Amino acid sequence: MNATQLAEIILRASTRKLDDEVRIVAQARAATMGPRHTVGLHSAGYGIDWENGTFELIPATPLTVLTPEELAEVRKSMAMGQSWHAYKSWKKQDERIKALEAELATLRGRA
């Protein structure tokens, strides 16, 4: 989407209330009843330097970009009542242990 398309959406709206608050939809925890999770807009403007040619929306609350796989892991962990960070730490340790066990088996095979 470009800035012209954004302006057209605003100007074509059936209820043009230019004083309405602008919000950014963000991924939230597992699906719940009620409105979508949103964050406020801190500022907006055209990018400069490396971001030249872009119109940027700066959220009031920092957002993070997760891959679909990471998001699925977070939701799974939250549904189980566990910490995603603890799960990621465990997963990293588990992968290291498996790699070391494989290396040990290879070394034993050479002896």
Side-chain angles (χ1 to χ4, degrees):
M1 171 176 284
N2 61 40
T4 300
Q5 292 168 319
L6 180 59
E8 286 176 2
I9 290 170
I10 293 168
L11 295 175
R12 287 185 188 167
S14 58
T15 56
R16 268 182 268 172
K17 297 179 188 175
L18 297 179
D19 59 339
D20 279 352
E21 183 179 8
V22 176
R23 308 281 302 167
I24 301 170
V25 176
Q27 287 289 335
R29 297 182 202 119
T32 60
M33 296 291 290
R36 293 186 288 188
H37 183 76
T38 62
V39 298
L41 184 65
H42 176 266
S43 64
Y46 285 96
I48 57 172
D49 201 16
W50 287 344
E51 290 82 25
N52 187 31
T54 64
F55 185 80
E56 300 175 337
L57 304 176
I58 313 301
T61 303
L63 302 178
T64 184
V65 179
L66 296 176
T67 66
E69 294 79 17
E70 290 170 330
L71 186 58
E73 287 179 9
V74 169
R75 286 187 172 150
K76 178 180 176 185
S77 177
M78 291 175 72
M80 295 169 50
Q82 300 173 355
S83 163
W84 182 69
H85 299 290
Y87 170 73
K88 292 298 282 184
S89 177
W90 170 83
K91 188 174 178 182
K92 185 176 180 180
Q93 272 187 323
D94 187 54
E95 289 170 357
R96 180 169 161 74
I97 289 169
K98 287 178 181 173
L100 289 170
E101 286 174 342
E103 184 178 347
L104 182 59
T106 301
L107 291 172
R108 283 183 178 157
R110 291 184 189 166

